[in-house]
């Protein structure tokens, strides 16, 4: 039996469920000849009550990172996680992350580690609904033409709740209570989280160096109850839609609210569900749909990434 030491950064909505799911899947790791040992969990406040397996070492001292074989990052932010992960990545060890802001905004630094197969980030887009896996593997045989997607659970939840008559601020508070929203939630409602995710996806199907700054972004803050009811009266629904398509010799990437017909595939996504319509010349039109926010569904992708690493699969390699 091989012992793998895992360091976890963050024990909030996602981090706690990662720890619980690793514990729950103990026998699956054992079947692969591996014993997972959590060497430490980094937090800001050790006195917070947490739902984690008994005996978990929760600390504000990142020193434990030096000794671990894999790091799982579920802390959020950009500069702080980058600073902590870089020395670790430089030493050739793998990182599993759900942090699309970090991936989108610091690709200048992270790309080389992704190309080397050291970065695992299925959870960063559509949480536990696998899209990065297929886009980084089998879908490469087909010529990509266009994608259209609903990628943010918070906006989806708010717009759905507003359709039921709830006001915007109350609906946002509901999304925060469910653990869907980013800190600060402007990242969600301003469209930036969706733009982060679109930039991550674009690197698998359009351009391996696709810059986050190339995404044109508009959020849902100005959507009123009247806009929503007008759309409903016309048999349409308002969604925050991410789109990526060819534009001459380059690519056009946008995030903006759109009115879509009620029977559009992107309208079938319920509460926190995300959906993505992928078009390729040879593969035709594919639809991915499923949960896109929440602790356990995100943890399922991160623990799946850990299993991939244990089995020997590389991380998610973008286009060269
Ligand atoms: P969260 O509930 O706010 O948890 C963040 C955790 O990180 C907390 O445990 C916090 O410590 C710790 N932390 C934050 N900054 C820190 C610092 N500077 N030093 C030490 N510890 C720090 O956030 P979350 O919802 O779990 O999200 C975590 C990551 O997953 C983010 O990148 C997010 O975008 C991504 N993600 C989230 C979801 C979702 O549905 N929530 C889905 C997919 C991806 P304390 O507990 O002591 O405050
Ligand atoms: N804040 C994000 C959302 C979490 O609402 O979709 C999942 O990435």
């Amino acid at each position: 039996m091989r012992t793998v030491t895992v360091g976890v950064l963050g024990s909030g909505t996602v981090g706690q469920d990662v720890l619980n799911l690793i514990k729950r899947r103990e026998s699956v790791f054992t079947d692969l000849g591996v014993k997972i040992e959590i060497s430490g969990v980094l937090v800001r406040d050790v006195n917070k009550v947490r739902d984690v397996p008994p005996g978990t070492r929760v600390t504000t001292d990142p020193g434990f990172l030096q000794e671990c074989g894999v790091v799982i990052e579920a802390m959020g932010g950009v500069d702080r996680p980058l600073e902590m992960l870089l020395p670790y990545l430089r030493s050739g060890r793998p990182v599993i992350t759900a942090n699309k802001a970090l991936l989108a905004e610091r690709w200048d630094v992270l790309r080389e580690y992704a190309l080397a197969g050291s970065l695992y980030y299925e959870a960063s887009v559509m949480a536990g609904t696998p899209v990065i896996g297929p886009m980084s593997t089998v879908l490469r045989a087909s010529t990509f033409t266009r994608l259209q997607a609903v990628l943010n659970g918070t906006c989806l939840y708010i717009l759905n709740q507003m359709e039921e008559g709830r006001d915007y601020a109350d609906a946002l508070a509901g999304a925060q209570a469910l653990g869907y929203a980013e800190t600060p939630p402007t990242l969600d409602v301003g469209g930036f989280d969706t733009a982060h995710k679109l930039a991550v996806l674009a690197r698998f199907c359009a351009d391996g160096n696709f810059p986050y700054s190339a995404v044109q972004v508009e959020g849902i803050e100005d959507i009123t109850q009247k806009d929503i009811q007008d759309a409903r009266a016309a048999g349409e629904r308002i969604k925050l839609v991410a789109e990526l398509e060819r534009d001459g010799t380059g690519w056009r990437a946008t995030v903006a609210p759109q009115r879509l017909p009620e029977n559009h595939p992107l309208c079938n996504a319920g509460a926190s569900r995300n959906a993505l319509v992928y078009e390729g010349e040879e593969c035709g039109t594919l639809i991915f749909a499923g949960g896109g926010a929440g602790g356990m569904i995100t943890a399922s992708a991160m623990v799946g990434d850990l299993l991939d690493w244990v089995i020997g699969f590389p991380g998610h390699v973008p286009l060269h």
Side-chain angles (χ1 to χ4, degrees):
M1 191 69 73
R2 173 166 70 106
T3 298
V4 169
T5 49
V6 176
V8 180
L9 306 185
S11 176
T13 304
V14 174
Q16 292 179 89
D17 280 336
V18 165
L19 291 161
N20 289 319
L21 189 56
I22 287 175
K23 183 80 192 150
R24 207 189 284 174
R25 291 284 90 85
E26 214 164 42
S27 65
V28 176
F29 286 103
T30 308
D31 288 347
L32 292 167
V34 164
K35 179 179 183 318
I36 300 289
E37 203 172 273
I38 305 296
S39 51
V41 180
L42 188 79
V43 296
R44 282 175 296 210
D45 177 2
V46 286
N47 296 316
K48 258 190 202 171
V49 177
R50 294 176 201 275
D51 173 18
V52 294
T56 303
R57 181 180 159 214
V58 175
T59 173
T60 54
D61 177 2
F64 66 85
L65 281 182
Q66 284 160 17
E67 74 203 44
C68 52
V70 189
V71 169
I72 298 183
E73 189 266 312
M75 128 181 175
V78 175
D79 295 335
R80 182 73 177 126
L82 183 67
E83 179 194 318
M84 300 187 70
L85 295 174
L86 258 188
Y88 189 85
L89 283 166
R90 281 191 191 120
S91 70
R93 288 171 292 171
V95 165
I96 296 169
T97 183
N99 190 338
K100 54 277 174 171
L102 173 64
L103 292 162
E105 295 188 25
R106 294 316 310 271
W107 198 235
D108 56 322
V109 178
L110 293 174
R111 180 168 174 261
E112 69 174 284
Y113 303 104
L115 285 170
S118 305
L119 270 179
Y120 296 72
Y121 45 104
E122 181 62 65
S124 65
V125 181
M126 291 178 76
T129 305
V131 281
I132 289 182
M135 282 173 70
S136 60
T137 54
V138 287
L139 290 179
R140 291 223 179 138
S142 187
T143 307
F144 169 75
T145 50
R146 180 173 184 250
L147 76 74
Q148 201 184 20
V150 166
L151 299 174
N152 184 270
T154 302
C155 291
L156 190 58
Y157 180 86
I158 292 172
L159 295 170
N160 284 352
Q161 293 288 304
M162 285 176 77
E163 285 177 350
E164 304 300 317
R166 205 167 164 188
D167 75 40
Y168 175 88
D170 192 30
L172 170 57
Q176 288 176 300
L178 287 164
Y180 299 161
E182 301 296 313
T183 310
T186 326
L187 285 169
D188 298 288
V189 295
F192 307 108
D193 176 75
T194 302
H196 286 148
K197 291 166 177 167
L198 186 59
V200 170
L201 293 180
R203 293 163 187 162
F204 294 105
C205 54
D207 174 354
N209 236 337
F210 195 90
Y212 166 62
S213 58
V215 185
Q216 294 167 38
V217 192
E218 186 188 328
I220 63 161
E221 295 115 315
D222 295 333
I223 302 289
T224 63
Q225 200 39 262
K226 181 173 181 319
D227 296 328
I228 292 206
Q229 299 313 334
D230 285 353
R232 286 303 256 175
E236 293 175 340
R237 301 181 72 186
I238 297 179
K239 301 286 173 196
L240 183 66
V241 178
E243 277 185 298
L244 176 67
E245 62 189 340
R246 273 224 171 271
D247 182 18
T249 53
W251 297 93
R252 194 177 68 93
T254 56
V255 172
Q258 285 188 26
R259 278 170 65 154
L260 299 173
E262 276 169 352
N263 62 357
H264 191 284
L266 296 185
C267 288
N268 292 329
S272 71
R273 289 167 70 82
N274 286 186
L276 185 149
V277 180
Y278 181 100
E279 292 169 27
E281 275 177 27
E282 294 79 6
C283 68
T285 299
L286 307 174
I287 300 173
F288 298 83
M296 197 45 93
I297 185 144
T298 307
S300 74
M302 299 186 89
V303 177
D305 279 351
L306 180 60
L307 278 162
D308 272 1
W309 176 76
V310 163
I311 291 166
F313 292 135
H316 301 106
V317 180
L319 295 174
H320 279 72

